[in-house]
Amino acid sequence: MVTLRSLIVRGLLPGAGVLLVAVIASLLLGAGDVGPGRALSALLGGADGDARFTVLELRLPRTLVAVAVGLALGIAGALLQAAARNPLAEPGLLGVSAGASFAVVVALVLGASAATLGPYVAVLGAGAGCLLALGAARLRGAGDDPVRLVLAGAAFSGLMAAGSSVMLLVDARAADEIRFWTIGSVAGRELADLWAVVPVVGLGLLLAVLVAPALTALSLGDDVATGLGHTPGRVRAVAVTAVALLVGGATALAGPVAFVGLVVPFAARALVGPDLRRLLAVSVLLGPATVLTADVVSRLVARPYEMPLGVMTALLGAPVLVAVVRSHRLPSL
């Protein structure tokens, strides 16, 4: 049993420390010529115009967008694992992010504006992906085997990626925009893009907080949850809606970013145990820290160029997935 004091000492304080370091690194480090010294001077009101523009107009919005994406994906991963009762359920692995991305690609090809309709179209695609993921989890055999569920999600993700490639052939003029929706990145995003998805992500976070106690009861089994006054079908429906809103908002901001929803809940569970409410509290800090760390590394490994965020999170998260799959016993939820 994790007490409030233990939650703060073991989860919230370390998470806040890591997040603070990641935010500072994101503002001070980059692939260009503005190093830590000039960036710090710009933050303090000095430095030249180029340094101030780089830090305040490029790195600061990028940092805020990465925080929002990490927050949304970390919470969505914890919710999806609890709803599917599967420790490998993750929006990227199960095709939820791919569904959101493909929906936006189709909307772009049909002439819609990504700036205005992107978040809402992405939510619809993420919702469809959630339903397919939970449907697969409840199929005979798949729900009891996390690896089979991941394989089903990988097949769905591959199908969505192929569909996006077909859309690229249909409309070559949208090539640059479609390419963004297939690799994932927070580079070049503006504060206006963030404000556009704040209502979507905010509603998803509100639903996550409201459904967390019921999902915790659901982890004890549908019969126990029913006995405690919860309706399992309704609880899962609210959880799916929350995940769709969170993943849709994150995908509208950064494209598909995999493995964040897997790594963050596992790290949070190692710190504070399986209680979903405590997981969500710690994931609020670890999610942004994970995405910011991956983004900073993506700027530095190939200077003066940058590696896409989606590629970096895959490189960081894949070893975690392999380690979990190869372990003798998967953690139960």
Side-chain angles (χ1 to χ4, degrees), residues 81-98:
Q81 289 180 12
R85 299 181 62 186
N86 191 312
L88 293 185
E90 193 268 340
L93 292 177
L94 299 190
V96 180
S97 298

Side-chain angles (χ1 to χ4, degrees), residues 248-298:
T251 304
L253 272 177
V257 180
F259 289 103
V260 176
L262 174 72
V263 173
V264 171
F266 265 101
R269 196 174 294 114
L271 293 174
V272 297
D275 186 277
L276 181 61
R277 290 164 293 187
R278 302 182 189 278
L279 282 179
L280 294 179
V282 177
S283 296
V284 166
L285 301 171
L286 293 185
T290 300
V291 173
L292 278 172
T293 301
D295 184 47
V296 171
V297 174
S298 73

Side-chain angles (χ1 to χ4, degrees), residues 234-246:
R234 184 180 304 167
V235 171
R236 288 193 176 92
V238 175
V240 166
T241 303
V243 172
L245 289 167
L246 292 169

Side-chain angles (χ1 to χ4, degrees), residues 53-140:
F53 176 81
T54 298
V55 174
L56 301 180
E57 300 297 329
L58 298 179
R59 292 183 188 173
L60 180 58
R62 181 172 182 166
T63 299
L64 295 176
V65 167
V67 167
V69 170
L71 173 65
L73 292 179
I75 297 297
L79 286 178
L80 191 56
Q81 289 180 12
R85 299 181 62 186
N86 191 312
L88 293 185
E90 193 268 340
L93 292 177
L94 299 190
V96 180
S97 298
S101 179
F102 177 70
V104 177
V105 169
V106 172
L108 286 173
V109 172
L110 294 178
S113 170
T116 55
L117 297 180
Y120 306 101
V121 174
V123 167
L124 293 177
C130 281
L131 294 177
L132 289 174
L134 290 182
R138 299 180 68 83
L139 289 176
R140 180 179 178 84

